Amino acid sequence: MSMSLDQAAEVYREAMRATVKRYSLWYLIEGILLVVAGVLAIIYPVFSSVAVILLLGWLLIFSGILQCLGLFYARHVPNFWLQLISVFLAVLIGFLFLRDPAQGLVTVTLLLIVFFMIEGISKVVFSLTIRPFPHWGWVLVSGIIGILLSLFLLISLPVTALWLIGLLLGIQLISVGGALAQLAWKVRHS
């Protein structure tokens, strides 16, 4: 017996709903813990920023070592030397992040500033290309906000590097934790 794609999707959704309902207490606990961790990350942004950089440093080192081991077992892969250079850079940047987390914070903050600037510029250009559509101004405003945010962060850069990553991590943890807790709460009471 075969099912249509819609029937298979509904069976899958129902299985997911049953699983979420069965483990809703654990989802609720996880959500609350994530919100608490997010609040702590916002209260202590310097500590959480440094923790992220140290974790990133260790991840770069371990992934570089694992990639290096894999490369030496497959020495005849195309672009072996380019891949080996990539492995070397991953390990080197990981060690640099561990040796001087403050420089790692500045580096990652600069990357975020560049991302916000490019995202803002692309939103402004996109909004101007869709200008006849209703509410195109909201896209324009979001692009301008991205550009202004990146300029603000760039102007206050030495200080920004200390708190930005921790603040963004905290906001993300709170949003994910809040969503999980709210979902689990609604499922438990439905």
Side-chain angles (χ1 to χ4, degrees):
M1 179 175 126
S2 65
M3 295 183 149
S4 72
L5 187 58
D6 289 336
Q7 290 170 329
E10 185 56 40
V11 168
Y12 178 73
R13 279 193 293 270
E14 194 53 45
M16 289 300 294
R17 286 184 197 112
T19 301
V20 169
K21 189 166 186 134
R22 186 176 329 121
Y23 297 108
S24 63
L25 177 63
W26 291 110
Y27 283 123
L28 182 63
I29 292 169
E30 178 185 3
I32 291 169
L33 290 175
L34 285 171
V35 169
V36 169
V39 169
L40 289 174
I42 289 174
I43 292 173
Y44 303 106
V46 175
F47 176 76
S48 55
S49 294
V50 171
V52 167
I53 294 300
L54 292 175
L55 178 64
L56 183 59
W58 282 112
L59 286 173
L60 285 169
I61 290 170
F62 286 135
S63 69
I65 290 170
L66 290 175
Q67 288 176 9
C68 186
L69 291 174
L71 270 178
F72 280 112
Y73 286 112
R75 286 186 200 116
H76 303 292
V77 296
N79 303 316
F80 171 82
W81 293 106
L82 286 175
Q83 292 181 35
L84 192 59
I85 290 170
S86 172
V87 166
F88 173 74
L89 286 174
V91 172
L92 176 68
I93 291 169
F95 277 122
L96 290 175
F97 279 4
L98 293 179
R99 189 187 67 143
D100 190 1
Q103 287 299 323
L105 284 171
V106 172
T107 302
V108 173
T109 302
L110 278 171
L111 290 172
L112 284 170
I113 290 169
V114 168
F115 170 73
F116 290 152
M117 177 63 77
I118 292 172
E119 181 74 14
I121 291 170
S122 71
K123 289 287 190 267
V124 167
V125 169
F126 178 68
S127 71
L128 294 175
T129 60
I130 64 165
R131 191 171 31 202
F133 285 142
H135 308 295
W136 68 272
W138 288 106
V139 179
L140 177 68
V141 169
S142 74
I144 292 171
I145 289 172
I147 292 170
L148 292 175
L149 177 63
S150 68
L151 291 174
F152 168 75
L153 295 173
L154 184 63
I155 290 169
S156 60
L157 185 58
V159 176
T160 301
L162 294 175
W163 58 262
L164 180 64
I165 297 169
L167 177 70
L168 293 176
L169 174 68
I171 291 169
Q172 177 65 16
L173 288 173
I174 289 172
S175 68
V176 169
L180 269 177
Q182 200 268 348
L183 171 72
W185 184 261
K186 291 290 186 187
V187 166
R188 288 182 65 77
H189 289 86
S190 65

